[in-house]
mmCIF file with all atom_site columns, all heavy atoms in Angstrom:
data_model
loop_
_atom_site.group_PDB
_atom_site.id
_atom_site.type_symbol
_atom_site.label_atom_id
_atom_site.label_alt_id
_atom_site.label_comp_id
_atom_site.label_asym_id
_atom_site.label_entity_id
_atom_site.label_seq_id
_atom_site.pdbx_PDB_ins_code
_atom_site.Cartn_x
_atom_site.Cartn_y
_atom_site.Cartn_z
_atom_site.occupancy
_atom_site.B_iso_or_equiv
_atom_site.pdbx_formal_charge
_atom_site.auth_seq_id
_atom_site.auth_comp_id
_atom_site.auth_asym_id
_atom_site.auth_atom_id
_atom_site.pdbx_PDB_model_num
ATOM 1  N N   . ALA A 1 126 ? 6.507  -13.262 -3.497  1.00 97.00 ? 126 ALA A N   1
ATOM 2  C CA  . ALA A 1 126 ? 7.939  -13.372 -3.167  1.00 97.00 ? 126 ALA A CA  1
ATOM 3  C C   . ALA A 1 126 ? 8.664  -14.339 -4.106  1.00 97.00 ? 126 ALA A C   1
ATOM 4  O O   . ALA A 1 126 ? 9.836  -14.153 -4.397  1.00 97.00 ? 126 ALA A O   1
ATOM 5  C CB  . ALA A 1 126 ? 8.099  -13.810 -1.714  1.00 97.00 ? 126 ALA A CB  1
ATOM 6  N N   . LEU A 1 127 ? 7.939  -15.362 -4.572  1.00 97.00 ? 127 LEU A N   1
ATOM 7  C CA  . LEU A 1 127 ? 8.549  -16.337 -5.480  1.00 97.00 ? 127 LEU A CA  1
ATOM 8  C C   . LEU A 1 127 ? 8.508  -15.881 -6.936  1.00 97.00 ? 127 LEU A C   1
ATOM 9  O O   . LEU A 1 127 ? 8.941  -16.593 -7.836  1.00 97.00 ? 127 LEU A O   1
ATOM 10 C CB  . LEU A 1 127 ? 7.831  -17.694 -5.340  1.00 97.00 ? 127 LEU A CB  1
ATOM 11 C CG  . LEU A 1 127 ? 8.109  -18.433 -4.026  1.00 97.00 ? 127 LEU A CG  1
ATOM 12 C CD1 . LEU A 1 127 ? 7.130  -19.582 -3.847  1.00 97.00 ? 127 LEU A CD1 1
ATOM 13 C CD2 . LEU A 1 127 ? 9.536  -18.945 -3.990  1.00 97.00 ? 127 LEU A CD2 1
ATOM 14 N N   . GLY A 1 128 ? 7.911  -14.719 -7.154  1.00 95.00 ? 128 GLY A N   1
ATOM 15 C CA  . GLY A 1 128 ? 7.817  -14.200 -8.525  1.00 95.00 ? 128 GLY A CA  1
ATOM 16 C C   . GLY A 1 128 ? 6.754  -14.916 -9.346  1.00 95.00 ? 128 GLY A C   1
ATOM 17 O O   . GLY A 1 128 ? 6.763  -14.865 -10.576 1.00 95.00 ? 128 GLY A O   1
ATOM 18 N N   . LEU A 1 129 ? 5.815  -15.600 -8.648  1.00 96.00 ? 129 LEU A N   1
ATOM 19 C CA  . LEU A 1 129 ? 4.787  -16.358 -9.368  1.00 96.00 ? 129 LEU A CA  1
ATOM 20 C C   . LEU A 1 129 ? 3.561  -15.510 -9.692  1.00 96.00 ? 129 LEU A C   1
ATOM 21 O O   . LEU A 1 129 ? 2.673  -15.950 -10.414 1.00 96.00 ? 129 LEU A O   1
ATOM 22 C CB  . LEU A 1 129 ? 4.341  -17.570 -8.516  1.00 96.00 ? 129 LEU A CB  1
ATOM 23 C CG  . LEU A 1 129 ? 5.440  -18.564 -8.150  1.00 96.00 ? 129 LEU A CG  1
ATOM 24 C CD1 . LEU A 1 129 ? 4.927  -19.624 -7.197  1.00 96.00 ? 129 LEU A CD1 1
ATOM 25 C CD2 . LEU A 1 129 ? 5.984  -19.209 -9.426  1.00 96.00 ? 129 LEU A CD2 1
ATOM 26 N N   . SER A 1 130 ? 3.494  -14.307 -9.113  1.00 95.00 ? 130 SER A N   1
ATOM 27 C CA  . SER A 1 130 ? 2.304  -13.472 -9.288  1.00 95.00 ? 130 SER A CA  1
ATOM 28 C C   . SER A 1 130 ? 2.677  -11.998 -9.201  1.00 95.00 ? 130 SER A C   1
ATOM 29 O O   . SER A 1 130 ? 3.627  -11.628 -8.504  1.00 95.00 ? 130 SER A O   1
ATOM 30 C CB  . SER A 1 130 ? 1.306  -13.832 -8.178  1.00 95.00 ? 130 SER A CB  1
ATOM 31 O OG  . SER A 1 130 ? 0.338  -12.832 -8.046  1.00 95.00 ? 130 SER A OG  1
ATOM 32 N N   . ASP A 1 131 ? 1.908  -11.156 -9.915  1.00 94.00 ? 131 ASP A N   1
ATOM 33 C CA  . ASP A 1 131 ? 2.104  -9.703  -9.831  1.00 94.00 ? 131 ASP A CA  1
ATOM 34 C C   . ASP A 1 131 ? 1.158  -9.080  -8.817  1.00 94.00 ? 131 ASP A C   1
ATOM 35 O O   . ASP A 1 131 ? 1.207  -7.882  -8.573  1.00 94.00 ? 131 ASP A O   1
ATOM 36 C CB  . ASP A 1 131 ? 1.825  -9.043  -11.194 1.00 94.00 ? 131 ASP A CB  1
ATOM 37 C CG  . ASP A 1 131 ? 2.878  -9.413  -12.210 1.00 94.00 ? 131 ASP A CG  1
ATOM 38 O OD1 . ASP A 1 131 ? 4.045  -9.560  -11.820 1.00 94.00 ? 131 ASP A OD1 1
ATOM 39 O OD2 . ASP A 1 131 ? 2.517  -9.568  -13.399 1.00 94.00 ? 131 ASP A OD2 1
ATOM 40 N N   . PHE A 1 132 ? 0.243  -9.910  -8.294  1.00 97.00 ? 132 PHE A N   1
ATOM 41 C CA  . PHE A 1 132 ? -0.709 -9.388  -7.310  1.00 97.00 ? 132 PHE A CA  1
ATOM 42 C C   . PHE A 1 132 ? 0.067  -9.010  -6.050  1.00 97.00 ? 132 PHE A C   1
ATOM 43 O O   . PHE A 1 132 ? 0.854  -9.808  -5.539  1.00 97.00 ? 132 PHE A O   1
ATOM 44 C CB  . PHE A 1 132 ? -1.748 -10.472 -6.993  1.00 97.00 ? 132 PHE A CB  1
ATOM 45 C CG  . PHE A 1 132 ? -2.888 -9.997  -6.145  1.00 97.00 ? 132 PHE A CG  1
ATOM 46 C CD1 . PHE A 1 132 ? -3.822 -9.097  -6.641  1.00 97.00 ? 132 PHE A CD1 1
ATOM 47 C CD2 . PHE A 1 132 ? -3.040 -10.453 -4.838  1.00 97.00 ? 132 PHE A CD2 1
ATOM 48 C CE1 . PHE A 1 132 ? -4.874 -8.659  -5.859  1.00 97.00 ? 132 PHE A CE1 1
ATOM 49 C CE2 . PHE A 1 132 ? -4.099 -10.025 -4.054  1.00 97.00 ? 132 PHE A CE2 1
ATOM 50 C CZ  . PHE A 1 132 ? -5.015 -9.130  -4.559  1.00 97.00 ? 132 PHE A CZ  1
ATOM 51 N N   . ALA A 1 133 ? -0.128 -7.761  -5.555  1.00 98.00 ? 133 ALA A N   1
ATOM 52 C CA  . ALA A 1 133 ? 0.718  -7.258  -4.469  1.00 98.00 ? 133 ALA A CA  1
ATOM 53 C C   . ALA A 1 133 ? -0.071 -6.351  -3.537  1.00 98.00 ? 133 ALA A C   1
ATOM 54 O O   . ALA A 1 133 ? -1.125 -5.819  -3.923  1.00 98.00 ? 133 ALA A O   1
ATOM 55 C CB  . ALA A 1 133 ? 1.890  -6.483  -5.073  1.00 98.00 ? 133 ALA A CB  1
ATOM 56 N N   . PRO A 1 134 ? 0.409  -6.150  -2.318  1.00 98.00 ? 134 PRO A N   1
ATOM 57 C CA  . PRO A 1 134 ? -0.227 -5.180  -1.425  1.00 98.00 ? 134 PRO A CA  1
ATOM 58 C C   . PRO A 1 134 ? -0.386 -3.824  -2.123  1.00 98.00 ? 134 PRO A C   1
ATOM 59 O O   . PRO A 1 134 ? 0.481  -3.423  -2.926  1.00 98.00 ? 134 PRO A O   1
ATOM 60 C CB  . PRO A 1 134 ? 0.739  -5.102  -0.241  1.00 98.00 ? 134 PRO A CB  1
ATOM 61 C CG  . PRO A 1 134 ? 1.379  -6.452  -0.203  1.00 98.00 ? 134 PRO A CG  1
ATOM 62 C CD  . PRO A 1 134 ? 1.539  -6.837  -1.659  1.00 98.00 ? 134 PRO A CD  1
ATOM 63 N N   . CYS A 1 135 ? -1.479 -3.136  -1.807  1.00 98.00 ? 135 CYS A N   1
ATOM 64 C CA  . CYS A 1 135 ? -1.890 -1.938  -2.570  1.00 98.00 ? 135 CYS A CA  1
ATOM 65 C C   . CYS A 1 135 ? -0.787 -0.883  -2.694  1.00 98.00 ? 135 CYS A C   1
ATOM 66 O O   . CYS A 1 135 ? -0.620 -0.297  -3.763  1.00 98.00 ? 135 CYS A O   1
ATOM 67 C CB  . CYS A 1 135 ? -3.106 -1.300  -1.914  1.00 98.00 ? 135 CYS A CB  1
ATOM 68 S SG  . CYS A 1 135 ? -4.396 -2.486  -1.592  1.00 98.00 ? 135 CYS A SG  1
ATOM 69 N N   . THR A 1 136 ? -0.061 -0.617  -1.623  1.00 98.00 ? 136 THR A N   1
ATOM 70 C CA  . THR A 1 136 ? 0.941  0.455   -1.702  1.00 98.00 ? 136 THR A CA  1
ATOM 71 C C   . THR A 1 136 ? 2.104  0.052   -2.605  1.00 98.00 ? 136 THR A C   1
ATOM 72 O O   . THR A 1 136 ? 2.585  0.859   -3.402  1.00 98.00 ? 136 THR A O   1
ATOM 73 C CB  . THR A 1 136 ? 1.460  0.827   -0.295  1.00 98.00 ? 136 THR A CB  1
ATOM 74 O OG1 . THR A 1 136 ? 0.332  1.069   0.545   1.00 98.00 ? 136 THR A OG1 1
ATOM 75 C CG2 . THR A 1 136 ? 2.316  2.075   -0.341  1.00 98.00 ? 136 THR A CG2 1
ATOM 76 N N   . ALA A 1 137 ? 2.532  -1.211  -2.493  1.00 98.00 ? 137 ALA A N   1
ATOM 77 C CA  . ALA A 1 137 ? 3.616  -1.685  -3.359  1.00 98.00 ? 137 ALA A CA  1
ATOM 78 C C   . ALA A 1 137 ? 3.172  -1.639  -4.824  1.00 98.00 ? 137 ALA A C   1
ATOM 79 O O   . ALA A 1 137 ? 3.914  -1.161  -5.698  1.00 98.00 ? 137 ALA A O   1
ATOM 80 C CB  . ALA A 1 137 ? 4.009  -3.108  -2.964  1.00 98.00 ? 137 ALA A CB  1
ATOM 81 N N   . ALA A 1 138 ? 1.944  -2.089  -5.078  1.00 98.00 ? 138 ALA A N   1
ATOM 82 C CA  . ALA A 1 138 ? 1.401  -2.023  -6.448  1.00 98.00 ? 138 ALA A CA  1
ATOM 83 C C   . ALA A 1 138 ? 1.340  -0.565  -6.897  1.00 98.00 ? 138 ALA A C   1
ATOM 84 O O   . ALA A 1 138 ? 1.601  -0.257  -8.065  1.00 98.00 ? 138 ALA A O   1
ATOM 85 C CB  . ALA A 1 138 ? 0.017  -2.670  -6.490  1.00 98.00 ? 138 ALA A CB  1
ATOM 86 N N   . GLY A 1 139 ? 1.026  0.322   -5.973  1.00 98.00 ? 139 GLY A N   1
ATOM 87 C CA  . GLY A 1 139 ? 0.939  1.754   -6.280  1.00 98.00 ? 139 GLY A CA  1
ATOM 88 C C   . GLY A 1 139 ? 2.295  2.336   -6.663  1.00 98.00 ? 139 GLY A C   1
ATOM 89 O O   . GLY A 1 139 ? 2.396  3.143   -7.586  1.00 98.00 ? 139 GLY A O   1
ATOM 90 N N   . VAL A 1 140 ? 3.343  1.917   -5.964  1.00 98.00 ? 140 VAL A N   1
ATOM 91 C CA  . VAL A 1 140 ? 4.699  2.415   -6.281  1.00 98.00 ? 140 VAL A CA  1
ATOM 92 C C   . VAL A 1 140 ? 5.055  2.027   -7.719  1.00 98.00 ? 140 VAL A C   1
ATOM 93 O O   . VAL A 1 140 ? 5.538  2.850   -8.508  1.00 98.00 ? 140 VAL A O   1
ATOM 94 C CB  . VAL A 1 140 ? 5.744  1.847   -5.275  1.00 98.00 ? 140 VAL A CB  1
ATOM 95 C CG1 . VAL A 1 140 ? 7.162  2.155   -5.736  1.00 98.00 ? 140 VAL A CG1 1
ATOM 96 C CG2 . VAL A 1 140 ? 5.496  2.411   -3.874  1.00 98.00 ? 140 VAL A CG2 1
#
Side-chain angles (χ1 to χ4, degrees):
L127 289 167
L129 301 174
S130 163
D131 291 325
F132 188 69
C135 310
T136 309
V140 170

